[in-house]
Amino acid sequence: MQSVKLAPSILSADFARLGEQVATAVNAGAEYIHVDVMDGHFVPNITIGPLIVAALRPLARETGAILDVHLMIEKPDRYLADFAKAGADILTVHVETCPHLHRTIQAIRELGVRPGVTLNPATPLVTLEEILPDVDLVLIMSVNPGFGGQSYIPGSTAKIRRLRHMLDAIGSTADLEVDGGVKPGNAAEIAAAGANVLVAGSAIFGGRSITDNIAAFRGALG
Ligand code: DX5
Ligand code: ZN
Protein backbone atom coordinates (compact mmCIF):
# COMPACT_ATOMS: atom_id res chain seq x y z
CA MET A 1 0.00 0.00 0.00
CA GLN A 2 1.48 3.39 -0.96
CA SER A 3 1.50 6.22 1.58
CA VAL A 4 -1.95 7.73 1.88
CA LYS A 5 -2.54 11.47 2.12
CA LEU A 6 -5.42 13.19 3.93
CA ALA A 7 -7.49 15.97 2.38
CA PRO A 8 -9.71 17.61 5.01
CA SER A 9 -12.85 19.04 3.36
CA ILE A 10 -13.40 22.51 4.77
CA LEU A 11 -17.13 22.15 4.08
CA SER A 12 -17.50 20.69 7.58
CA ALA A 13 -15.25 23.27 9.27
CA ASP A 14 -16.50 26.10 11.47
CA PHE A 15 -16.35 28.99 8.99
CA ALA A 16 -16.11 31.54 11.80
CA ARG A 17 -12.77 29.90 12.72
CA LEU A 18 -11.74 28.63 9.31
CA GLY A 19 -8.07 29.66 9.30
CA GLU A 20 -7.48 28.29 12.79
CA GLN A 21 -9.19 24.97 12.04
CA VAL A 22 -7.39 24.43 8.73
CA ALA A 23 -4.06 25.29 10.39
CA THR A 24 -4.79 22.69 13.08
CA ALA A 25 -5.53 20.05 10.44
CA VAL A 26 -2.38 20.86 8.47
CA ASN A 27 -0.21 20.94 11.60
CA ALA A 28 -1.64 17.54 12.53
CA GLY A 29 -0.31 16.20 9.23
CA ALA A 30 -2.99 16.74 6.57
CA GLU A 31 -1.27 17.21 3.20
CA TYR A 32 -4.14 18.61 1.11
CA ILE A 33 -6.87 21.19 1.84
CA HIS A 34 -10.03 20.15 -0.01
CA VAL A 35 -12.28 23.05 -1.05
CA ASP A 36 -15.82 22.16 -2.18
CA VAL A 37 -17.25 24.71 -4.60
CA MET A 38 -21.01 24.35 -5.22
CA ASP A 39 -23.27 26.53 -7.37
CA GLY A 40 -26.84 25.52 -6.51
CA HIS A 41 -27.29 24.25 -10.09
CA PHE A 42 -25.08 21.23 -10.71
CA VAL A 43 -25.64 20.32 -7.07
CA PRO A 44 -28.44 21.57 -4.81
CA ASN A 45 -26.19 23.35 -2.33
CA ILE A 46 -24.34 26.70 -2.59
CA THR A 47 -20.99 27.06 -0.86
CA ILE A 48 -17.91 29.12 -1.56
CA GLY A 49 -15.74 30.56 -4.31
CA PRO A 50 -12.26 31.89 -5.12
CA LEU A 51 -12.23 34.34 -2.18
CA ILE A 52 -11.91 31.48 0.29
CA VAL A 53 -9.15 29.84 -1.78
CA ALA A 54 -7.27 33.15 -1.77
CA ALA A 55 -7.79 33.51 1.99
CA LEU A 56 -6.24 30.07 2.59
CA ARG A 57 -3.36 30.57 0.19
CA PRO A 58 -0.86 32.10 2.68
CA LEU A 59 -1.36 29.17 5.07
CA ALA A 60 -0.99 26.69 2.23
CA ARG A 61 2.19 28.34 0.94
CA GLU A 62 3.73 28.55 4.43
CA THR A 63 3.06 24.92 5.23
CA GLY A 64 3.35 23.30 1.81
CA ALA A 65 -0.27 22.11 1.94
CA ILE A 66 -1.91 21.57 -1.44
CA LEU A 67 -5.03 23.60 -2.25
CA ASP A 68 -7.27 20.95 -3.80
CA VAL A 69 -10.33 22.61 -5.35
CA HIS A 70 -13.35 20.46 -6.29
CA LEU A 71 -15.63 22.31 -8.69
CA MET A 72 -19.26 21.14 -8.47
CA ILE A 73 -20.48 23.88 -10.80
CA GLU A 74 -21.99 24.12 -14.26
CA LYS A 75 -19.78 25.57 -17.00
CA PRO A 76 -16.61 25.43 -14.87
CA ASP A 77 -14.53 26.89 -17.74
CA ARG A 78 -15.85 30.36 -16.85
CA TYR A 79 -14.13 30.26 -13.45
CA LEU A 80 -10.87 28.37 -14.02
CA ALA A 81 -8.75 31.53 -14.30
CA ASP A 82 -10.28 33.00 -11.13
CA PHE A 83 -9.46 29.89 -9.11
CA ALA A 84 -5.95 29.68 -10.58
CA LYS A 85 -5.34 33.31 -9.64
CA ALA A 86 -6.69 32.65 -6.14
CA GLY A 87 -4.01 29.98 -5.65
CA ALA A 88 -5.57 26.60 -6.45
CA ASP A 89 -2.90 23.90 -6.86
CA ILE A 90 -5.36 21.35 -8.21
CA LEU A 91 -8.61 22.07 -10.07
CA THR A 92 -10.96 19.12 -10.42
CA VAL A 93 -13.95 19.23 -12.76
CA HIS A 94 -16.88 16.83 -13.14
CA VAL A 95 -17.18 14.95 -16.45
CA GLU A 96 -20.92 15.60 -16.24
CA THR A 97 -20.32 19.38 -16.55
CA CYS A 98 -17.76 19.35 -19.38
CA PRO A 99 -18.91 18.59 -22.95
CA HIS A 100 -15.37 19.47 -24.12
CA LEU A 101 -13.49 17.81 -21.30
CA HIS A 102 -10.17 17.61 -23.14
CA ARG A 103 -10.25 21.35 -23.80
CA THR A 104 -11.11 22.07 -20.16
CA ILE A 105 -8.27 19.89 -18.87
CA GLN A 106 -5.80 21.58 -21.22
CA ALA A 107 -7.04 25.02 -20.10
CA ILE A 108 -6.39 24.11 -16.46
CA ARG A 109 -2.85 22.97 -17.29
CA GLU A 110 -2.17 26.13 -19.30
CA LEU A 111 -3.08 28.14 -16.19
CA GLY A 112 -0.24 26.35 -14.37
CA VAL A 113 -2.61 24.26 -12.25
CA ARG A 114 -2.74 20.46 -11.91
CA PRO A 115 -5.90 19.17 -13.63
CA GLY A 116 -8.20 16.66 -11.97
CA VAL A 117 -11.35 14.93 -13.14
CA THR A 118 -14.22 13.41 -11.20
CA LEU A 119 -17.50 11.65 -11.76
CA ASN A 120 -20.74 11.06 -9.88
CA PRO A 121 -21.43 7.64 -8.35
CA ALA A 122 -23.68 6.57 -11.27
CA THR A 123 -21.31 7.75 -14.00
CA PRO A 124 -19.25 4.86 -15.36
CA LEU A 125 -15.44 4.84 -15.42
CA VAL A 126 -15.46 4.32 -19.17
CA THR A 127 -16.23 8.07 -19.51
CA LEU A 128 -12.68 8.72 -18.24
CA GLU A 129 -10.82 6.34 -20.51
CA GLU A 130 -9.66 8.87 -23.13
CA ILE A 131 -8.74 11.63 -20.65
CA LEU A 132 -6.81 9.56 -18.09
CA PRO A 133 -3.37 10.17 -19.65
CA ASP A 134 -3.92 13.95 -19.38
CA VAL A 135 -4.91 14.32 -15.72
CA ASP A 136 -2.92 14.54 -12.47
CA LEU A 137 -5.79 13.45 -10.24
CA VAL A 138 -8.91 11.31 -10.53
CA LEU A 139 -11.54 11.73 -7.85
CA ILE A 140 -14.07 9.00 -7.15
CA MET A 141 -17.24 10.39 -5.57
CA SER A 142 -18.42 7.90 -2.98
CA VAL A 143 -21.56 9.93 -2.23
CA ASN A 144 -23.81 12.02 -4.47
CA PRO A 145 -22.14 15.42 -4.39
CA GLY A 146 -23.77 18.32 -2.60
CA PHE A 147 -23.51 17.78 1.13
CA GLY A 148 -21.10 16.66 3.81
CA GLY A 149 -21.98 13.98 6.33
CA GLN A 150 -23.50 11.40 3.94
CA SER A 151 -22.83 7.65 4.06
CA TYR A 152 -20.22 5.98 1.89
CA ILE A 153 -21.82 4.11 -1.05
CA PRO A 154 -20.45 0.56 -0.66
CA GLY A 155 -20.08 -0.11 -4.41
CA SER A 156 -17.47 2.67 -4.54
CA THR A 157 -14.73 0.32 -3.37
CA ALA A 158 -15.04 -1.89 -6.45
CA LYS A 159 -15.01 1.24 -8.64
CA ILE A 160 -11.79 2.44 -6.94
CA ARG A 161 -10.19 -0.95 -7.56
CA ARG A 162 -11.14 -0.85 -11.26
CA LEU A 163 -9.81 2.69 -11.62
CA ARG A 164 -6.53 1.66 -9.93
CA HIS A 165 -6.17 -1.06 -12.62
CA MET A 166 -6.91 1.46 -15.39
CA LEU A 167 -4.29 3.93 -14.07
CA ASP A 168 -1.67 1.22 -13.59
CA ALA A 169 -2.33 -0.14 -17.09
CA ILE A 170 -1.31 3.19 -18.67
CA GLY A 171 1.51 3.84 -16.19
CA SER A 172 -0.26 6.89 -14.74
CA THR A 173 1.00 8.34 -11.46
CA ALA A 174 -2.12 10.48 -11.03
CA ASP A 175 -3.55 10.74 -7.54
CA LEU A 176 -6.56 8.51 -6.93
CA GLU A 177 -8.68 10.49 -4.48
CA VAL A 178 -11.93 9.41 -2.81
CA ASP A 179 -14.57 11.82 -1.50
CA GLY A 180 -17.66 11.21 0.61
CA GLY A 181 -18.37 9.26 3.78
CA VAL A 182 -14.71 8.46 4.39
CA LYS A 183 -14.05 7.62 8.06
CA PRO A 184 -11.33 5.90 10.07
CA GLY A 185 -13.56 2.79 9.93
CA ASN A 186 -13.44 2.43 6.13
CA ALA A 187 -10.14 4.21 5.35
CA ALA A 188 -8.06 1.03 5.25
CA GLU A 189 -10.49 -0.68 2.85
CA ILE A 190 -10.47 2.36 0.54
CA ALA A 191 -6.67 2.61 0.59
CA ALA A 192 -6.30 -1.13 -0.01
CA ALA A 193 -8.49 -0.75 -3.12
CA GLY A 194 -5.93 1.70 -4.51
CA ALA A 195 -6.75 5.21 -3.30
CA ASN A 196 -3.83 7.42 -2.21
CA VAL A 197 -5.72 10.60 -1.19
CA LEU A 198 -8.68 10.47 1.19
CA VAL A 199 -11.07 13.42 1.52
CA ALA A 200 -12.82 13.68 4.87
CA GLY A 201 -15.06 16.50 6.06
CA SER A 202 -17.24 15.49 9.00
CA ALA A 203 -14.75 12.84 10.17
CA ILE A 204 -12.02 15.49 10.53
CA PHE A 205 -13.84 18.70 11.48
CA GLY A 206 -16.72 17.10 13.43
CA GLY A 207 -16.87 15.35 16.80
CA ARG A 208 -13.72 15.28 18.86
CA SER A 209 -10.66 17.42 18.29
CA ILE A 210 -9.31 17.83 14.77
CA THR A 211 -5.91 16.55 15.90
CA ASP A 212 -7.45 13.42 17.47
CA ASN A 213 -9.55 12.83 14.35
CA ILE A 214 -6.48 12.94 12.13
CA ALA A 215 -4.64 10.65 14.52
CA ALA A 216 -7.56 8.19 14.27
CA PHE A 217 -7.12 8.13 10.45
CA ARG A 218 -3.38 7.58 10.79
CA GLY A 219 -4.02 4.76 13.25
CA ALA A 220 -6.54 3.13 10.90
CA LEU A 221 -4.17 3.43 7.94
CA GLY A 222 -1.28 1.90 9.90
C1 DX5 B 1 -19.59 16.32 -1.12
C2 DX5 B 1 -18.22 16.97 -1.03
C3 DX5 B 1 -17.34 16.34 -0.02
C4 DX5 B 1 -17.86 16.42 1.39
C5 DX5 B 1 -17.31 15.27 2.16
O1 DX5 B 1 -20.29 16.87 -2.17
O2 DX5 B 1 -17.57 16.88 -2.28
O3 DX5 B 1 -16.01 16.82 -0.10
O4 DX5 B 1 -17.51 17.62 2.05
O5 DX5 B 1 -17.88 15.28 3.43
P1 DX5 B 1 -17.89 13.99 4.35
O6 DX5 B 1 -16.47 13.56 4.56
O7 DX5 B 1 -18.53 14.48 5.60
O8 DX5 B 1 -18.70 12.94 3.63
ZN1 ZN C 1 -15.33 17.32 -2.48
Side-chain angles (χ1 to χ4, degrees), residues 9-12 34 36 38 43 70 72 139 141 143-151 179-183 199-203:
S9 162
I10 65 167
L11 192 57
S12 295
H34 187 82
D36 286 306
M38 306 186 189
V43 291
H70 176 192
M72 286 161 274
L139 172 61
M141 288 307 303
V143 297
N144 288 294
F147 300 95
Q150 303 180 77
S151 298
D179 185 3
V182 179
K183 314 274 174 208
V199 177
S202 47

Side-chain angles (χ1 to χ4, degrees), residues 6 8 24-25 27-30 183-185 187 203-205 208-222:
L6 290 177
T24 303
N27 291 333
K183 314 274 174 208
I204 287 181
F205 290 109
R208 311 186 282 163
S209 84
I210 294 167
T211 306
D212 287 355
N213 290 340
I214 288 189
F217 271 101
R218 291 295 176 212
L221 290 163

